[in-house]
Amino acid sequence: MKHLSTRGLAPHLSFDDIVLSGLAPDGGLYVPEVWPQLSPKQFNDFADQRYGQVAEAVLSALGGSETALDLNGAIAGAYAQFRHPEVAPLRPLAPNLWMLELFHGPTFAFKDFALQLLGPLMAQRLERESRRLTVLAATSGDTGSAAIAALAGRPNLDIVVLHPKGRVSEIQRRQMTTVMAPNVHNIALEGDFDTAQALVKALFADRNLSAQMQLSAVNSINWARLAAQTVYFITACAALRGRGPVTFVVPTGNFGDIFSGYAAKKMGAPIARLIAATNSNDIVARALTTGRYERRTVTPTHSPSMDIQVASNFERLLFDASGRNPTQTMALMEEFAQTGAFTVPSPVLTEMQATFGAFAADETQTFAAIRRVHESTGMVVDPHTATGVAAAFAQDLTERGPVVCLATAHPAKFEAAIHASLGFAPDIPAELSALKTLPERCVDLPADINALKDYLLTVVQQRGAL
Ligand SMILES: *Cc1c(COP(=O)(O)O)cnc(C)c1O
């Protein structure tokens, strides 16, 4: 299995190369050259298997069967860290409505599913080749802590994380800045997440810099992350077998997680529809509804990990839904880079709408969903999850079949939002409350590419890697 770029002009890469690569050299994103098909027998077997076994089968199909890395060892190690024996348990919320709890990993958000796996694979790959690299990540809140948890203290790599200053929750920030491993470097960047993401992309595109220092990505532009996330869509379908095709509601920012759901469907999982739930930063909801993909300014909300107005992974859908037309994809993405908008061609939009629906929940609707779940079940859901629950309620999705809302983070990460909607603070697990008294380490930088380059070069020099 090779992987090709959505823009068609980059070398094809193996699974092992994908582990270390971010943006393709032509500016595109990697996807598998074909969607592997899982057999009906495999789907049947998944119902009785443990999470790790399903992950082995799914990731083998997605190119992992050709890896020289110890994929199965990495899978076993990654999911053994989770606090729940089922790893991704389903919990009933209402008739025909379930929550898929994806927050039982070390940093209490779904990003751990991919990064706990990617961390050891990256380290293995580097050790084997006696290489060293610098992982660069922009985070809207949860990727940064998950990447740091997965990579802190590992040899042969440094991790530099940019978060938008003042725009992540206190616990999210502390999960990153209290890690004292010498290979971890935090930057609080002036600006919003889109600014941080654009700067990271610009650093990758800077050939002089890439020549000087080996840069690698762990943002969801890295395909291996999305591959790892296909697994829980499949385990959820397996757990609900016999009830008909499943509709998933996915709290969406960068369009990575929901694209993993799309990949699972393409591999044969019985998925009816995928509903993208956004907060008021609704570029994805607008694009899927009207066909106009148009950037606007980011509004800070209580679901900061979704405060994004440039959804990088939408490019992957644009490519696949156009019958995999790299020329058209490249032209539209260039139009977006120049003008901040493009219109999805109508046959492509029709194709997208056959699978995807969308809903944008404002803060009032999000808080109302947190209250409604609490009143009816006693459970506290986090504000990201609540955008999805709001979508499921608003669109009466459960009338057509089983619906699964992805619970993407633990409510304790978002105390202020829970307090604002329920009037009391959520229970804080000991692992998180312990962070409140630890010292923090972080530098403030302006949103300026030269300042960032200087910082990176200095850090890497000090670490003896240049
Ligand atoms: C990252 C994140 C999202 C959005 O996921 P994307 O893959 O960027 O669409 C939603 N909820 C939480 C809690 C997150 O951390």
Side-chain angles (χ1 to χ4, degrees), residues 90-336:
L90 270 177
R91 199 186 262 253
L93 263 190
N96 243 5
L97 183 63
W98 286 264
M99 214 162 65
L100 182 62
E101 292 186 347
L102 301 176
F103 50 71
H104 297 289
T107 69
F108 294 80
F110 82 88
K111 305 291 200 294
D112 289 324
F113 276 84
L115 288 162
Q116 283 295 315
L117 183 59
L118 197 55
L121 292 177
M122 289 178 106
Q124 273 184 44
R125 181 75 217 260
L126 291 174
E127 192 182 327
R128 210 157 277 190
E129 294 176 14
S130 310
R131 270 173 70 191
R132 152 167 211 111
L133 56 72
T134 303
V135 173
L136 192 57
T139 185
S140 57
D142 293 320
T143 292
S145 55
I148 289 172
L151 299 176
R154 288 193 186 275
N156 304 328
L157 59 82
D158 281 275
I159 163 131
V160 180
V161 175
L162 288 75
H163 72 264
K165 184 175 176 167
R167 295 193 186 219
V168 300
S169 80
E170 186 192 346
I171 288 201
Q172 284 180 312
R173 188 191 73 241
R174 287 181 173 278
Q175 283 182 303
M176 299 187 276
T177 57
T178 57
V179 177
M180 292 295 147
N183 70 331
V184 172
H185 315 280
N186 280 289
I187 299 172
L189 193 85
E190 296 294 344
D192 56 27
F193 171 74
D194 288 347
T195 310
Q197 178 164 252
L199 280 166
V200 165
K201 283 189 183 173
L203 290 167
F204 275 107
D206 184 324
R207 288 181 193 282
N208 284 334
L209 189 76
S210 336
Q212 261 182 304
M213 54 194 290
Q214 296 261 351
L215 288 181
S216 177
V218 290
N219 278 97
S220 53
I221 53 179
N222 178 309
W223 168 255
R225 266 186 67 179
L226 301 198
Q229 290 167 197
T230 60
V231 176
Y232 47 71
F233 286 92
I234 290 170
T235 58
C237 288
L240 295 175
R241 73 197 177 285
R243 296 175 192 265
V246 180
T247 292
F248 285 93
V249 187
V250 186
T252 294
N254 222 355
F255 208 72
D257 205 11
I258 197 165
F259 192 80
S260 296
Y262 177 78
K265 180 171 165 68
K266 288 285 170 178
M267 293 168 76
I271 294 176
R273 289 180 70 67
L274 293 161
I275 311 297
T278 69
N279 60 28
S280 42
N281 298 293
D282 60 350
I283 183 170
V284 163
R286 284 184 279 117
L288 289 170
T289 312
T290 68
R292 187 77 181 152
Y293 183 80
E294 184 179 38
R295 170 183 194 154
R296 295 191 188 149
T297 50
V298 175
T299 313
T301 71
H302 281 92
S303 40
S305 305
M306 291 155 56
D307 289 348
I308 292 177
Q309 282 283 19
V310 180
S312 296
N313 289 291
F314 193 70
E315 177 169 348
R316 288 188 158 112
L317 179 62
L318 192 63
F319 173 70
D320 206 65
S322 69
R324 302 196 143 206
N325 181 336
T327 319
Q328 185 181 68
T329 306
M330 165 100 90
L332 291 171
M333 293 314 299
E334 280 180 353
E335 186 181 338
F336 182 71

